[in-house]
Amino acid sequence: MAILTGNVKSARVVTGEYKTGKRQGEDWEFLALEIIDAVTGFTWSCQLASEDGSYIEVTRGDLVGHKVRCKVASQSAGLRTLPDGREVMQIRSQVRKLEDMGEVSATE
């Protein structure tokens, strides 16, 4: 597992329903985040599952503009359709134990 520390560029709750498989018909929910890596400046597309112990705490407020730290548990890649219809390959990082470290100061 790797540790990611960075600033939250965007955050939104995503919900849906399983269409197939053993959990068909059940609801799912996760927090989708774009985190700007404090060291490299690279933007990570992250997902925090609603089952994670930190989920309730971090979804209570607005994380945009906050510094966070989390554990990267796994990654996957797949096509994403942009609003203009183009398809691009996107890496998604599943994260755990997201910690809100407060608002980013003007010097960071």
Side-chain angles (χ1 to χ4, degrees):
M1 240 184 253
I3 302 295
L4 171 63
T5 302
N7 302 331
V8 178
K9 179 178 175 181
S10 68
R12 65 186 178 98
V13 173
V14 179
T15 60
E17 183 180 293
Y18 290 102
K19 303 292 183 202
T20 61
K22 65 181 180 179
R23 295 182 69 183
Q24 183 174 355
E26 292 181 32
D27 293 333
W28 53 260
E29 181 176 318
F30 65 86
L31 180 63
L33 302 133
E34 285 189 321
I35 300 174
I36 303 170
D37 187 317
V39 176
T40 65
F42 180 77
T43 300
W44 292 63
S45 296
C46 299
Q47 298 174 342
L48 177 71
S50 61
E51 295 84 11
D52 188 83
S54 65
Y55 183 83
I56 292 172
E57 183 67 30
V58 298
T59 54
R60 286 188 179 151
D62 186 7
L63 285 177
V64 175
H66 284 225
K67 185 174 186 176
V68 295
R69 178 176 37 229
C70 56
K71 292 182 178 184
V72 178
S74 65
Q75 292 184 308
S76 60
L79 288 178
R80 175 181 178 200
T81 304
L82 300 176
D84 65 6
R86 291 182 298 135
E87 287 188 332
V88 295
M89 186 61 72
Q90 181 180 39
I91 298 171
R92 295 175 186 88
S93 301
Q94 287 68 44
V95 298
R96 305 278 183 265
K97 298 183 180 183
L98 187 78
E99 177 186 354
D100 182 358
M101 300 169 70
E103 286 189 64
V104 177
S105 67
T107 59
E108 289 186 72

